[in-house]
Amino acid sequence: MATRDTGGQQRSTRSREETEEVEASVDTEVSERTKEVTDDVDSLLDEIDGVLEENAEEFVKSYVQKGGE
């Protein structure tokens, strides 16, 4: 049995409105994900700052001279 080659690529039938809707939903998803990641990074940086401050205080206290040392 011989099969017929329809040849070439098929043309997209998506309308301009459909394309704009898809792009708008992708933009919304990207902006939401960006906000989530930014919030996560900010939270992590705040936690790191807190640990560094705490450790710095302990470090300095360990080198404070006491009495006649």
Side-chain angles (χ1 to χ4, degrees):
M1 234 189 260
T3 58
R4 194 172 105 166
D5 184 12
T6 57
Q9 298 176 348
Q10 293 182 358
R11 201 176 169 129
S12 176
T13 57
R14 188 177 285 184
S15 72
R16 174 179 223 121
E17 289 175 1
E18 290 174 344
T19 302
E20 289 174 355
E21 287 175 12
V22 169
E23 288 174 353
S25 69
V26 169
D27 288 344
T28 302
E29 291 172 13
V30 169
S31 66
E32 288 174 1
R33 181 68 181 138
T34 300
K35 183 176 178 351
E36 290 175 10
V37 170
T38 301
D39 290 344
D40 290 345
V41 170
D42 287 343
S43 174
L44 184 60
L45 289 174
D46 289 342
E47 185 177 339
I48 290 171
D49 283 343
V51 169
L52 289 175
E53 286 176 13
E54 194 174 299
N55 288 342
E57 287 176 17
E58 290 176 21
F59 181 79
V60 170
K61 286 178 184 178
S62 69
Y63 284 97
V64 172
Q65 290 186 342
K66 297 177 185 174
E69 294 180 20

